[in-house]
Amino acid sequence: MSFIPKIELQSPEVILAFQLQKLNELLTYLRSKSPFYKKHFSTHTFNTDSLRSLNDLTTLPPVSKDDLQTNNWDFLCVDRKEIVEYTSTSGTLGKPVTIALTENDLKRLAYNEYISFACADGSSDDVYQLMLTLDRQFMAGIAYYEGIRQLQAGVIRIGPGLPALQWETIARLKPTAIVAVPSFIVKLMEYAELNGIDYQSTSVKKAICIGESLRTAELELNTLGKRIRDHWGITLFSTYASTEMQTAFTECTHGQGGHLHPELLIAEFLDENHQPVKEGEPGEVVITTLGVEGMPLLRYKTGDIARHYTAPCSCGRTTLRIGPIEGRRQQMIKLRGTTIYPAMIFELLHQISEVKDYAVEVSTGELGTDELKFYLAVKSAPDPALVTRIKSFVQSRLRVLPDILFCTPQEMEQLHMAGQI
C-alpha cells in the first residue's frame, strides 16, 4: 500500500477535532499577522477566540477572488525578505494574483504533492515525465517536481507540447507515469497513430491528469477520460488544485473523487447564499488553508462548483472526497429555472456521435434572463429523425431544451471566423 498519513485513516470525529485545533491556531496567526483579516474580523465583529466547532466559521462572510485581487499584498503575513518564491494565478477570469511562499510554504507544498502522488499509486519505483511548464510563476510545476523528489521517484522535466519530443523521450528514458492535461494526452495519442508509434506497448502505465475534469458528476469517466482509457489502456488519476489553496485533491485507484488532506486544508461547499449544501449536491468550493505562512486564506471562495462525499473510501481513507469541477460560479447559466455550466454542455455535445462541430451562444434576453443556442454541424444531412433524436438527448440530459440550429461546415467556419459565437 502507498504511504497514507495517519490522520487520513482516523475517524471523522478525530479529523474534525484535529482541524478545529489547527483552525484556532490559524485564527490566532491571522489576527496577529494579516492586515486584511484583521480588518475583516473587525468589520464583521468576528470573535476569533477558541471556536468550538468548524460550523462556527459560518458567522464570518467568505472572502472572494475580488478581495484577493484588490488587496493582494494585505494578505501577506510575513516580511518581504522571508519570501523565497513568487507564484501567480493564471488570471483566467481577471488579473493574475501573486501568491508569495516562504521556505516552510515550499516544504508544505512538496509534502502535499508527495502524499498526493502516493495517493495516486506512486512510489519510489516510478519515473514521472512532466508535460507541463516549470516557469512563468506556475506553482503546480514546482510543486510536482518537489513532490516527486520527496517521493524519491525519478523525474523527467520535458515541459508542455512537442509530441515528437515527448514520444522520443518516452522511448529513450522509459517513464512509468506522465503528468499532463488530458486533452494533450489525446493529442499525443493522435500523433502516435499518425506516425506509427505503438503507444499501447510503451513503459507508461498511468497518467496524473491536471487542469481538466476526467469524470462526470456521477464519478464515471467522461468522454475525454473514456477515450484515453479505451485507446491507451493506462490508469488515469484525476486531480484538482489551485494556486491559492496550495493543496491538491487527488484520486486514489478507486477513482471516487479527490481525497482531502485534512492536515493541509478545510473545505466547505456552499450555495449562492453561502449556506452549506448537502452531500452529493453541487456547491462552491470554499477553502481554508492550514499551515501556510506567507499568504494563508480563511474561507476563500474558489469560484469552482463541485460535489462532496464523506463515506469512507475502499482505499482505507476516511477523508472527505471532492468530485469533478462541474463549472465556475461566474460562468453559471440559468435557463428556465435550471442551472447549467459550460463544461456540462461541452461534455454533452461530445457524446453525440453525429455532431462534427459545434458552437454555443449565451446571451441575455429582453427580460434579463439567460438564453442559450446550440449551433451544430452534423456529419450527414439533419433529417427529421436525427433532429428529434438530438433534441431528445439534449433535453434528457439538461432537463431543458435550448434553441438548436443546424449549420453546414462552411457556415460554422464563418461563424467562428466572424467571432459571432
Side-chain angles (χ1 to χ4, degrees):
M1 178 182 291
S2 299
F3 171 73
I4 303 177
K6 290 183 180 179
I7 188 61
E8 298 188 16
L9 300 172
Q10 302 301 313
S11 68
E13 293 76 18
V14 170
I15 292 175
L16 284 174
F18 171 83
Q19 289 200 311
L20 180 60
Q21 177 186 342
K22 294 297 181 182
L23 174 59
N24 279 311
E25 292 173 4
L26 172 63
L27 291 173
T28 300
Y29 184 77
L30 292 175
R31 187 175 58 204
S32 170
K33 303 287 188 179
S34 172
F36 176 84
Y37 281 106
K38 286 180 187 177
K39 183 177 180 180
H40 193 57
F41 295 155
S42 176
T43 299
H44 299 286
T45 60
F46 180 70
N47 183 5
T48 61
D49 293 328
S50 297
L51 272 69
R52 296 183 179 180
S53 165
L54 294 185
N55 292 332
D56 293 344
L57 267 182
T58 59
T59 60
L60 180 70
V63 171
S64 69
K65 188 176 289 285
D66 288 341
D67 292 320
L68 189 54
Q69 288 173 330
T70 304
N71 307 281
N72 200 169
W73 290 107
D74 283 345
F75 283 83
L76 185 64
C77 293
V78 299
D79 191 280
R80 288 285 289 264
K81 66 182 181 182
E82 295 184 47
I83 300 173
V84 298
E85 181 82 26
Y86 292 87
T87 62
S88 176
T89 62
S90 62
T92 304
L93 295 177
K95 68 178 183 179
V97 169
T98 296
I99 300 295
L101 287 80
T102 66
E103 183 64 36
N104 284 333
D105 290 339
L106 279 180
K107 292 178 180 177
R108 176 189 177 279
L109 199 62
Y111 169 77
N112 163 76
E113 289 303 337
Y114 159 52
I115 60 177
S116 293
F117 277 110
C119 184
D121 202 26
S123 74
S124 58
D125 295 329
D126 282 308
V127 176
Y128 291 86
Q129 185 158 318
L130 296 182
M131 300 180 178
L132 47 94
T133 184
L134 267 74
D135 58 4
R136 303 177 186 175
Q137 295 184 271
F138 184 49
M139 179 185 284
I142 190 67
Y144 296 140
Y145 177 73
E146 293 296 338
I148 292 169
R149 281 170 52 85
Q150 191 163 333
L151 187 65
Q152 298 183 350
V155 60
I156 304 169
R157 295 182 292 110
I158 199 68
L162 304 173
L165 180 58
Q166 302 287 356
W167 284 120
E168 185 276 329
T169 305
I170 289 172
R172 179 166 50 89
L173 298 180
K174 295 181 170 45
T176 59
I178 60 175
V179 182
V181 176
S183 56
F184 180 66
I185 297 177
V186 171
K187 292 183 183 299
L188 280 180
M189 293 161 49
E190 292 172 345
Y191 180 91
E193 291 164 359
L194 287 172
N195 290 274
I197 298 172
D198 182 11
Y199 57 91
Q200 288 95 347
S201 300
T202 66
S203 58
V204 177
K205 304 303 178 187
K206 59 193 170 190
I208 313 303
C209 297
I210 66 171
E212 296 171 345
S213 292
L214 280 176
R215 299 189 182 277
T216 66
E218 292 74 34
L219 301 179
E220 300 292 335
L221 284 177
N222 60 18
T223 304
L224 187 59
K226 287 178 180 177
R227 183 173 181 184
I228 298 171
R229 181 200 61 190
D230 294 346
H231 286 77
W232 196 343
I234 57 178
T235 303
L236 303 177
F237 295 92
S238 189
T239 67
Y240 165 60
S242 72
T243 301
E244 298 96 319
M245 72 172 67
Q246 302 180 48
T247 315
F249 293 80
T250 304
E251 287 182 339
C252 67
T253 53
H254 298 280
Q256 293 299 294
H259 284 278
L260 170 73
H261 301 313
E263 67 272 47
L264 301 178
L265 200 75
I266 294 172
E268 302 174 73
F269 299 83
L270 307 181
D271 64 18
E272 295 177 65
N273 300 313
H274 300 157
Q275 296 302 307
V277 299
K278 295 179 181 178
E279 180 174 349
E281 293 183 353
E284 182 172 4
V285 183
V286 177
I287 56 97
T288 294
T289 57
L290 301 174
V292 172
E293 283 185 341
M295 286 185 166
L297 296 173
L298 176 69
R299 301 205 83 204
Y300 176 75
K301 298 196 297 179
T302 64
D304 296 325
I305 305 298
R307 303 166 198 252
H308 70 285
Y309 309 91
T310 61
C313 183
S314 300
C315 70
R317 292 175 177 84
T318 58
T319 50
L320 176 148
R321 288 169 289 115
I322 184 173
I325 300 305
E326 299 176 28
R328 294 188 62 83
R329 180 71 72 192
Q330 289 176 265
Q331 297 172 337
M332 182 175 68
I333 303 165
K334 282 282 192 179
L335 185 65
R336 295 189 278 280
T338 298
T339 299
I340 302 171
Y341 295 98
M344 298 167 58
I345 296 171
F346 304 151
E347 170 65 18
L348 170 71
L349 294 175
H350 287 157
Q351 293 177 23
I352 304 175
S353 60
E354 294 90 349
V355 173
K356 184 177 182 180
D357 195 6
Y358 64 84
V360 178
E361 179 182 58
V362 182
S363 60
T364 302
E366 295 181 0
L367 299 178
T369 56
D370 289 339
E371 295 184 358
L372 185 62
K373 290 182 181 179
F374 292 176
Y375 295 82
L376 306 181
V378 293
K379 296 176 181 178
S380 58
D383 59 77
L386 176 61
V387 172
T388 299
R389 187 162 66 250
I390 289 177
K391 287 186 175 182
S392 297
F393 182 79
V394 170
Q395 188 168 26
S396 68
R397 297 303 190 275
L398 296 183
R399 299 193 299 277
V400 292
L401 184 63
D403 293 331
I404 297 179
L405 303 172
F406 291 88
C407 307
T408 65
Q410 294 75 21
E411 290 171 334
M412 183 67 68
E413 184 177 354
Q414 290 176 358
L415 285 171
H416 286 307
M417 291 180 64
Q420 295 180 18
I421 304 303

